[in-house]
Amino acid sequence: MELLLDISLLSMLVATAIGIAVSRDLLAAVMLSSIYGLLSANFFVTMDAVDVAFTEASVGAGISPLLMFATLAIVGRFERYPHQRALPALLLVVLTGAMLILATLDIPAFGDPNAPAQTHVAPRFINESGTEIGIPNMVTSVLASYRGFDTFGEVTVVFAAVVGVLALLGSSLPAAGRKLPDTLLQASNHRILRIVSKILVAPIMLFALYVQFHGDYGPGGGFQAGVIFAAAIIIYTMLFGLEAAMKVINVTVLRVLAAFGVLLYGSVGLVAMLNGKNFLDYDALAADPVHGQHYGIIVIELGVGITVAAVMMLIYFAFAGRLIDRSHKS
Amino acid sequence: MLSHLPILQVILPLLGAPACLILWRPRIAWAFSFFISALAFIISGLLLKQVWQGGEIVYALGGWEAPWGIEYRIDLLNAFLLLIVSGLSTVVLAGARQSVAREIPAEKQTLFYVAWLLCLAGQLGILATGDAFNVFVFLEISSLSTYTLISLSRQREALWAAFQYLIVGTIGATFVLIGIGLMYMMTGTLNMADLAQRLPEVADTRTVFAAYAFIIVGVCLKLALFPLHAWLPNAYTFAPSVVTAFLAATATKVAVYLLIRFSFTVFGKDFSTFDVPLHSIFIGLGLIAVFSASTVAIMQRNIKRAIAYSSVAQIGYMIIGLGLGSVLGLQATLLHLFNHALMKGALFMAMVAMMLRIGGITVDDIAGLGKRMPVTALAFVTGGLSLIGVPLTVGFVSKWYLVSAAFSQGMWLVALLVVLGSLLAVMYIWRLVEIMYFRESPEQAPRGEAPLTVLLPLLLLVLGNIYFGIDTRLPVSVTEAAASSLLVEAYQGVQVGGAK
Amino acid sequence: MSVLFSHYNYWVVIVLMMIGFYIVIAQGNLVKKLIGLNIFQTSVFILYISAGKVSGGTAPILADGITLYSNPLPHVLILTAIVVGIATTALGLSLIIRIRDTYGSVEEQDVRAAEGNRKQESC
């Protein structure tokens, strides 16, 4: 059964990838890439990587295609030329692929419990994290504590992305009181969409909070929560327009929040240092190390969630603002 | 607090960046980022002293000991590079304010400084970490902010240059990611020291060979090693002037560091020089880079582009030293990292001054510059002489070590070609000198020096070029110790593997 | 035959990676390049996650009565890598929008042609 699932998922992935390569309609390619994201999320579930599946579903099938659709609306949907340099590219790709296949010949068999990857570092996380960190989700333990510094880097990457997007598209960020063309709000005339999403926005936000604070016990955490929260606002904006959204949201506040999340994460590390421990050592946060770990994880996940939600909204608003600028011109 | 130095110098700019965004006013942002960068520089100086006196420093992040947690591991090699990167960032930032005010729209200047701090933090993080995956994360922090810095330029070509770099850089980073993954599958660890222990057992597998190949190719894409250099000239030419000075002085150094770290510490000298024919590949590619890029440099009209091509050539020299695989060769490479940072810092900083006063950087713009901006022109020429390798400049020191390293291994042909390559540098530098001093200025050409805030950092860099060309004690002793400790430790690694 | 069964997973993933890689280098449309980059990276993620799977194991969330878990470490690494991927995509798309503004096209061929023309003019 598992084999069957595995093979069918993999073959669908291959078919989707080929479809993307062949299609000259970019709209189709983006849709296929979103399917690709969803299929790989499914594959991750069969590989027991539920947290990864959650994230891949929200990024690969959510945010990434959304931004690509927005871009296509600005730059046009069809490829103009056939493939360039097809032959040299093919040669290079075949060579790289051959190198990789050669590399796989000596790696341990798929699923082998005695592979070095499974026996050297990982057992500590599996056997000890329950007592050392005290939360059931090992992925959260490793992500937030054992390798918490990687995650700090990850938030910084998100922050670096928004700095870049603001530098490039910041001038079209919508300011309060800006008049919007009616054509963009057609969706809001659609009664069913309007009602259904109005009902949905609040529960989505609630779900984001659940994901944020339940990450210790099940799949989820700051990143996924941030994306979901931003998604609620984005849906609202799509239906009721930027103008309506700007009444509740202030771009400057979002920018400050994006920076604040990173600072919040870092300050947990600094507090640990002031208490005489190493950077990000949460043991220092409470008398009992396990409690300290727990507090630390809650705060840094909150920092991640705030930054990610603010950044996703800012990026979306920057893209949407550009879309409006364009329709003004034309 | 002294025990926290390794992490402090990375988290200062890392937390400084978001703080800078909150401060928002450009003038404050500049002062703030300069202050942060200067602090990082001071810390790296203290670190180098600590390592020199007390040996390697290990700092367990989150209090989790490696290999379960991530550790920072500072030895002479990365302490030396931390000093170069934070030092050059500080000096260039000191002279950046006016140039940024002129070249970047007011509402984007704060974002510029935020991206600068992120880029600095990313580079320092790559240098300090002892964890292979953490390298990938910080590589991406520095890359993303570099794309931002380049694209902030007013020249429209910068957008295309940044996009090209984004594609190449991401492919490079993904290759590194593949390599790290393959290593993990074979050893179960991500910690560099742990990898160095466990890799010899599986060194003869095709997987480890492929892992090494992917990491090297990925890093060489970032390094712009010939023939993977196509993105660099555009990126350097069209980026804002101060960004070019910063990147040219630091970014390639970090990439060379990664090559050294992965080749000699993680995989070990035994593996990277005997199991893989890296010797000849590196020396060959290095020589081709020197000759082809120098030739192209001679023909450029835009002098920024000419010096950018010269960077590709200089990377060639660094790779040759690495390919020699001896202590002396490695020392030549390390010396050249330091010296190249000084000379490219001086040359591009001189161009910052030129851009500020005359607003252009083609051969027509700089005609007669010797009379119009005597100090800047002289500084440029000194940097150029150093690039050629004239005695009493730093350029001479590293060329000297490189040539003698090649000689001591009986590779007289390589030594000869290195010297011949310098002749090409004479050609493209002399051409610029001729234009600056023997050609008439165009009519109504702007004259007068750049303000002192730009000139002082420039002069500091020029003096560095001369001072360390005469008093070579600091760089020579540090690089000698770093090179021999890297290779000798690698030999010990061989013995452990052989004893089994 | 046994190699086929124990490794086919990896091989399919490599094919996926290479399709993505091909799109990046062979296709001239900049949006398509980024899509290719996404496919390439996502496939590398699948490679990592496959390496963490333990036959008969379950998701690495502690629960009573379960003794065999899959390896959480690759999951953590890939969570980080996914985030890095979307950050790169967002920045790349912004660059594409600006390139379209300045060059009027998002095809590599057109942009290069525009660059070439400009260079000739300035000479």
Side-chain angles (χ1 to χ4, degrees):
Chain A
M1 183 57 204
E2 242 177 59
L3 185 75
L4 206 64
L5 200 63
D6 198 48
I7 291 178
S8 55
L9 273 174
L10 283 174
S11 41
M12 282 196 276
L13 277 167
V14 174
T16 317
I18 293 175
I20 294 169
V22 173
S23 156
R24 286 181 64 178
D25 179 352
L26 290 165
L27 195 70
V30 173
M31 278 173 160
L32 284 172
S33 88
S34 133
I35 292 174
Y36 191 87
L38 207 58
L39 284 172
S40 37
N42 281 325
F43 190 76
F44 293 149
V45 174
T46 67
M47 295 285 127
D48 305 330
V50 281
D51 278 275
V52 182
F54 199 163
T55 310
E56 177 61 31
S58 58
V59 167
I63 292 289
S64 167
L66 174 75
L67 296 181
M68 285 190 174
F69 282 136
T71 310
L72 287 188
I74 298 170
V75 304
R77 90 178 245 201
F78 290 102
E79 269 180 52
R80 205 178 296 170
Y81 305 104
H83 302 186
Q84 323 160 301
R85 325 178 269 267
L87 201 63
L90 207 61
L91 268 174
L92 183 62
V93 164
V94 168
L95 197 75
T96 318
M99 181 80 163
L100 272 170
I101 293 203
L102 200 69
T104 58
L105 293 179
D106 286 333
I107 60 177
F110 172 71
D112 179 5
N114 297 317
Q118 266 59 275
T119 54
H120 179 44
V121 171
R124 160 116 178 226
F125 302 140
I126 295 172
N127 300 324
E128 309 295 331
S129 72
T131 47
E132 284 179 340
I133 314 283
I135 58 173
N137 189 349
M138 296 172 215
V139 174
T140 305
S141 294
V142 180
L143 176 114
S145 188
Y146 294 100
R147 296 187 68 87
F149 191 63
D150 264 352
T151 308
F152 186 39
E154 171 193 317
V155 196
T156 313
V157 170
V158 173
F159 179 72
V162 84
V163 169
V165 173
L166 288 181
L168 286 161
L169 305 178
S171 53
S172 26
L173 267 181
R178 189 156 156 195
K179 206 70 197 125
L180 299 180
D182 297 335
T183 45
L184 277 171
L185 297 173
Q186 268 169 357
S188 60
N189 298 333
H190 199 294
R191 186 174 294 160
I192 296 175
L193 270 181
R194 209 180 158 96
I195 293 171
V196 169
S197 47
K198 217 171 194 172
I199 298 171
L200 275 180
V201 167
I204 292 178
M205 285 182 164
L206 208 60
F207 182 58
L209 291 179
Y210 167 78
V211 171
Q212 171 81 47
F213 294 108
H214 197 255
D216 302 357
Y217 304 97
F223 182 81
Q224 296 95 327
V227 170
I228 293 171
F229 189 87
I233 303 286
I234 289 171
I235 290 175
Y236 182 81
T237 314
M238 279 175 163
L239 280 161
F240 301 99
L242 269 174
E243 210 172 354
M246 285 304 127
K247 279 182 188 147
V248 244
I249 296 157
N250 181 315
V251 172
T252 315
V253 172
L254 282 185
R255 205 177 57 209
V256 171
L257 280 177
F260 173 74
V262 182
L263 288 173
L264 185 65
Y265 200 135
S267 61
V268 175
L270 292 179
V271 168
M273 272 163 83
L274 293 176
N275 285 348
K277 298 265 190 175
N278 279 0
F279 187 68
L280 290 179
D281 188 342
Y282 312 137
D283 287 0
L285 301 179
D288 175 32
V290 175
H291 281 156
Q293 290 289 340
H294 213 119
Y295 297 147
I297 291 175
I298 288 177
V299 179
I300 64 121
E301 289 274 18
L302 194 63
V304 175
I306 292 173
T307 292
V308 169
V311 165
M312 293 302 159
M313 283 186 244
L314 273 175
I315 292 179
Y316 175 76
F317 288 147
F319 276 67
R322 187 48 69 114
L323 206 59
I324 293 167
D325 276 357
R326 232 183 107 70
S327 58
H328 266 309
K329 274 177 210 152
S330 66
Chain B
M1 221 52 187
L2 274 182
S3 62
H4 292 300
L5 288 185
I7 185 67
L8 265 182
Q9 67 150 4
V10 177
I11 52 172
L12 270 175
L14 210 54
L15 290 173
C20 196
L21 189 73
I22 293 178
L23 291 174
W24 195 246
R25 299 260 306 277
R27 212 174 239 271
I28 302 175
W30 168 75
F32 182 74
S33 32
F34 172 70
F35 175 67
I36 295 274
S37 177
L39 272 183
F41 177 54
I42 294 169
I43 293 174
S44 63
L46 291 175
L47 263 180
L48 184 60
K49 197 172 149 224
Q50 272 189 8
V51 176
W52 184 252
Q53 288 167 346
E56 208 168 76
I57 304 173
V58 178
Y59 186 91
L61 284 151
W64 299 110
E65 70 274 31
W68 297 282
I70 297 169
E71 67 175 8
Y72 270 14
R73 191 175 275 265
I74 314 286
D75 58 7
L76 270 179
L77 174 66
N78 49 12
F80 184 58
L81 274 133
L82 287 168
L83 192 75
I84 298 178
V85 169
S86 57
L88 264 298
S89 157
T90 310
V91 176
V92 177
L93 255 186
R97 194 177 63 83
Q98 265 123 337
S99 176
V100 169
R102 182 180 162 133
E103 290 183 28
I104 290 160
E107 75 276 8
K108 291 182 180 170
Q109 285 170 14
T110 305
L111 292 168
F112 175 87
Y113 293 117
V114 175
W116 185 295
L117 284 177
L118 286 172
C119 186
L120 176 65
Q123 293 187 347
L124 296 178
I126 297 170
L127 294 174
T129 191
D131 187 279
F133 190 80
N134 200 235
V135 167
F136 167 75
V137 177
F138 278 78
L139 189 68
E140 287 293 20
I141 295 178
S142 73
S143 302
L144 284 178
S145 40
T146 305
Y147 312 143
T148 307
L149 286 173
I150 295 173
S151 68
L152 272 167
S153 166
R154 276 208 183 142
Q155 282 166 292
R156 64 169 200 170
E157 295 92 338
L159 292 170
W160 176 235
F163 188 81
Q164 277 179 309
Y165 189 17
L166 180 133
I167 295 289
V168 173
T170 309
I171 292 175
T174 309
F175 271 39
V176 172
L177 192 65
I178 294 172
I180 295 171
L182 293 175
M183 286 198 298
Y184 177 71
M185 288 182 197
M186 295 310 285
T187 61
T189 186
L190 297 162
N191 179 272
M192 289 182 182
D194 200 24
L195 278 168
Q197 295 246 312
R198 297 174 65 92
L199 275 173
E201 284 172 38
V202 284
D204 51 354
T205 56
R206 286 162 284 196
T207 315
V208 172
F209 174 79
Y212 186 62
F214 273 95
I215 289 178
I216 294 299
V217 172
V219 173
C220 284
L221 274 167
K222 297 295 285 187
L223 172 63
L225 175 63
F226 183 91
L228 307 173
H229 66 285
W231 61 268
L232 184 139
N234 271 337
Y236 280 20
T237 309
F238 300 119
S241 310
V242 281
V243 172
T244 311
F246 177 43
L247 290 182
T250 61
T252 48
K253 314 296 169 292
V254 175
V256 173
Y257 163 80
L258 280 180
L259 270 192
I260 297 175
R261 187 56 92 199
F262 276 110
S263 297
F264 294 132
T265 303
V266 176
F267 286 89
K269 179 191 157 64
D270 185 39
F271 178 81
S272 53
T273 48
F274 297 120
D275 292 6
V276 186
L278 210 61
H279 265 325
S280 26
I281 296 177
F282 272 178
I283 295 179
L285 287 180
L287 285 171
I288 299 176
V290 168
F291 281 91
S292 61
S294 302
T295 314
V296 179
I298 296 174
M299 300 183 292
Q300 297 305 316
R301 289 179 54 78
N302 182 318
I303 63 170
K304 216 170 158 193
R305 187 180 276 277
I307 304 300
Y309 270 106
S310 132
S311 275
V312 177
Q314 300 294 321
I315 291 163
Y317 289 119
M318 298 172 202
I319 294 304
I320 295 171
L322 206 63
L324 290 175
S326 62
V327 174
L328 207 54
L330 186 57
Q331 192 192 351
T333 299
L334 293 179
L335 271 173
H336 202 49
L337 291 183
F338 179 74
N339 297 342
H340 182 249
L342 282 176
M343 48 183 133
K344 279 292 145 69
L347 284 169
F348 282 113
M349 204 63 200
M351 288 186 230
V352 169
M354 294 175 198
M355 271 304 268
L356 199 58
R357 267 294 168 264
I358 53 185
I361 207 82
T362 63
V363 285
D364 300 323
D365 295 310
I366 63 159
L369 199 76
K371 287 193 189 109
R372 289 187 283 148
M373 298 176 75
V375 180
T376 307
L378 192 65
F380 187 87
V381 172
T382 320
L385 291 178
S386 187
L387 193 68
I388 296 167
V390 174
L392 299 184
T393 62
V394 286
F396 177 72
V397 180
S398 33
K399 289 266 170 68
W400 176 262
Y401 272 83
L402 189 57
V403 170
S404 40
F407 259 122
S408 71
Q409 282 167 265
M411 300 191 177
W412 57 270
L413 186 65
V414 175
L416 185 72
L417 288 172
V418 167
V419 175
L420 278 180
S422 305
L423 290 181
L424 288 173
V426 173
M427 286 172 72
Y428 60 75
I429 294 296
W430 174 251
R431 174 169 160 263
L432 299 177
V433 170
E434 195 183 326
I435 292 164
M436 283 197 284
Y437 283 94
F438 301 112
R439 213 182 267 183
E440 283 302 309
S441 305
E443 276 177 44
Q444 292 170 343
R447 49 178 62 235
E449 291 291 347
L452 267 184
T453 45
V454 181
L455 278 191
L456 281 181
L458 171 60
L459 290 179
L460 194 67
L461 288 168
V462 170
L463 283 181
N465 271 287
I466 298 170
Y467 178 80
F468 290 110
I470 299 168
D471 177 11
T472 57
R473 281 172 303 180
L474 172 76
V476 166
S477 53
V478 171
T479 51
E480 192 175 2
S484 59
S485 85
L486 271 176
L487 291 178
V488 170
E489 267 168 32
Y491 275 124
Q492 282 169 351
V494 173
Q495 282 161 8
V496 171
K500 247 182 69 83
Chain C
M1 203 55 198
S2 66
V3 177
L4 178 72
F5 267 111
S6 59
H7 286 75
Y8 76 92
N9 226 312
Y10 295 126
W11 296 340
V12 178
V13 175
I14 290 167
V15 170
L16 292 175
M17 269 157 72
M18 290 308 117
I19 295 174
F21 191 32
Y22 175 82
I23 299 175
V24 184
I25 48 181
Q27 305 216 335
N29 186 290
L30 305 187
V31 180
K32 195 69 173 282
K33 270 183 193 294
L34 278 189
I35 298 177
L37 213 49
N38 274 345
I39 305 284
F40 184 29
Q41 289 189 313
T42 310
S43 318
V44 176
F45 303 162
I46 301 180
L47 180 77
Y48 265 77
I49 297 297
S50 308
K53 169 74 181 170
V54 175
S55 303
T58 59
I61 298 176
L62 289 172
D64 292 334
I66 293 177
T67 48
L68 196 58
Y69 296 101
S70 281
N71 185 349
L73 185 52
H75 302 181
V76 173
L77 306 181
I78 291 317
L79 280 173
T80 304
I82 290 176
V83 178
V84 170
I86 179 69
T88 313
T89 305
L91 192 58
L93 289 173
S94 318
L95 273 169
I96 290 176
I97 292 176
R98 288 286 304 278
I99 287 174
R100 158 83 200 196
D101 283 353
T102 31
Y103 292 90
S105 169
V106 290
E107 300 284 342
E108 190 179 346
Q109 245 168 304
D110 296 342
V111 178
R112 279 188 195 281
E115 291 286 281
N117 287 340
R118 230 188 61 87
K119 239 175 243 166
Q120 275 167 0
E121 279 164 26
S122 71
C123 277

